[in-house]
Amino acid sequence: MGKLREHIRTWVQLLFAALTNGYAAGFANGTIYKGASKLVCVPGLNCYSCPGALGSCPIGSFQAVITSRTNKFTFYVIGFLLLFGALFGRLVCGWLCPFGLVQDLLHKIPFPKKLRRLPGDRVLKYLKYIILIGFVIVLPLTVLDIVGQGQPWFCKYICPSGTLFAGIPLIASNPPLRAALGWLFTWKMAILVVLLVLSVAVYRPFCRYLCPLGAIYGLFNPIALYRFRIDAEKCTQCGACRHACKLDISVWETPNSAECIRCGDCRRACPRGAIDTVNPCPVKRKKDA
Amino acid sequence: MSFLRRNRAAFITLAVAILFLAQGVLREETQIVFRKAVNICMECIGLG
């Protein structure tokens, strides 16, 4: 049963990635989907230029609206982020993000010395907030071209999800795009390769240190409908939860840490069942009673 | 009642989310998102 529960998350991630990137013809033809569902944002970091993408990336959409001529603020995308944040917090990162899935799968590759965290983790984890404020908000709003239009700085200079899910498949299947390759693609490929290689040794380096979407959802972890609480009567502070946590969180101290992606490993590892959700599933509650 | 009280912050955020979504649709931000999403984003794929 424990093994099955471990695999459920992977299957949910695979299923959600397939459902939201189901336009198979795009991969074959080197094109992207142009249907009405692209009005709607998906919760995870899923580039809208991925040939299979049926929805829009919230971080890309955010920058698209604030760099438009008419709007410098986006009610629509912030509304989406508030909605998913209030319901799930960073559960989205753990269960619904395709780039998170890729990092999870890479971390399953055996490696002689898996690292619990990178050196400088305490400082590095704040980098994602700097990227959010700098590359997603301030630079797109303030660095303007001659016609007064900004650029999507995060998508252009950092986003490895766009390179992996959109850049590589489109360039592989669309010869005219190949002819336009330059230093920017090399730079983005370098970021992607470093993160993918690092993912084998460290659990989810992009989510921990760089992802602006994770930075936003993490702020909602303490108030989201799906959040954890510790039963102080059951908890012996044995540290089993921290040992099981691949993000190295002291769950008994900070059950709603902004770093937690709600994978559930800590709950399975707790020998006394002291970690529960604040709003348990009604069916389970009835069974327990 | 305790369910509502326990999750007050989440419900307030959800209410604000719905208002923001509605305002975004009224301001036709959906069209900006759509226009961007149905054309290949050169910046996203690393072509500038």
Side-chain angles (χ1 to χ4, degrees):
Chain A
M1 186 65 185
K3 202 80 176 165
L4 177 71
R5 281 186 176 178
E6 258 180 56
H7 293 311
I8 287 174
R9 188 166 70 94
T10 305
W11 281 108
V12 171
Q13 289 173 294
L14 286 167
L15 193 67
F16 194 77
L19 276 175
T20 51
N21 294 281
Y23 183 62
F27 291 101
N29 305 332
T31 56
I32 62 171
Y33 182 67
K34 294 180 185 288
S37 62
K38 281 216 160 161
L39 283 169
V40 182
C41 291
V42 291
L45 199 71
N46 194 145
C47 186
Y48 36 40
S49 286
C50 168
L54 300 174
S56 292
C57 169
I59 291 293
S61 301
F62 182 95
Q63 292 168 97
V65 179
I66 66 167
T67 56
S68 67
R69 288 207 180 85
T70 48
N71 300 304
K72 296 296 165 204
F73 183 84
T74 168
F75 286 98
Y76 183 62
V77 182
I78 292 175
F80 261 108
L81 296 171
L82 291 173
L83 181 72
F84 283 107
L87 289 173
F88 307 118
R90 274 194 96 172
L91 178 95
V92 170
C93 307
W95 293 71
L96 304 177
C97 180
F99 198 67
L101 167 66
V102 169
Q103 292 172 90
D104 279 358
L105 295 175
L106 286 169
H107 196 68
K108 290 180 192 291
I109 296 172
F111 187 72
K113 193 169 165 40
K114 297 269 183 191
L115 300 173
R116 301 277 296 168
R117 65 187 94 88
L118 281 182
D121 173 87
R122 280 188 177 191
V123 178
L124 283 176
K125 69 183 180 187
Y126 294 107
L127 196 54
K128 57 182 173 289
Y129 300 102
I130 294 170
I131 288 173
L132 169 65
I133 293 166
F135 282 76
V136 178
I137 303 171
V138 176
L139 287 168
L141 277 175
T142 56
V143 181
L144 309 175
D145 60 18
I146 48 168
V147 291
Q149 201 155 8
Q151 291 184 339
W153 280 69
F154 174 75
C155 301
K156 185 172 180 177
Y157 295 105
I158 298 177
C159 185
S161 182
T163 315
L164 180 65
F165 297 122
I168 293 174
L170 280 177
I171 282 161
S173 54
N174 192 326
L177 291 177
R178 267 202 297 279
L181 289 182
W183 69 270
L184 185 60
F185 187 74
T186 310
W187 164 251
K188 288 195 71 180
M189 275 301 293
I191 292 178
L192 175 66
V193 170
V194 167
L195 285 167
L196 294 183
V197 171
L198 210 52
S199 298
V200 179
V202 188
Y203 187 64
R204 291 204 180 207
F206 177 71
C207 308
R208 286 165 99 151
Y209 305 123
L210 302 177
C211 183
L213 191 55
I216 294 169
Y217 286 140
L219 300 174
F220 293 94
N221 268 357
I223 64 137
L225 284 181
Y226 187 84
R227 63 188 191 276
F228 289 168
R229 68 180 179 87
I230 304 295
D231 187 332
E233 287 179 13
K234 289 181 184 170
C235 179
T236 59
Q237 303 186 0
C238 65
C241 51
R242 182 172 186 171
H243 185 71
C245 178
K246 292 195 277 291
L247 292 166
D248 202 31
I249 298 165
S250 301
V251 183
W252 81 92
E253 289 174 331
T254 52
N256 296 307
S257 160
E259 305 303 314
C260 176
I261 60 164
R262 307 306 194 202
C263 68
D265 286 353
C266 57
R267 294 184 68 193
R268 282 193 294 277
C270 180
R272 296 171 61 90
I275 307 168
D276 201 358
T277 51
V278 172
N279 303 299
C281 167
V283 178
K284 189 183 163 203
R285 199 163 36 186
K286 201 174 170 184
K287 201 176 86 183
D288 290 346
Chain B
M1 184 61 193
S2 69
F3 175 73
L4 287 176
R5 209 177 309 142
R6 195 168 59 223
N7 299 296
R8 191 184 303 158
F11 284 117
I12 290 170
T13 310
L14 283 172
V16 173
I18 291 163
L19 290 174
F20 269 44
L21 282 167
Q23 175 68 1
V25 171
L26 288 174
R27 294 207 319 168
E28 297 188 340
E29 290 176 23
T30 46
Q31 292 311 311
I32 300 171
V33 171
F34 183 71
R35 274 198 303 275
K36 180 75 179 175
V38 296
N39 292 296
I40 292 177
C41 166
M42 291 300 178
E43 296 96 341
C44 305
I45 65 172
L47 296 184

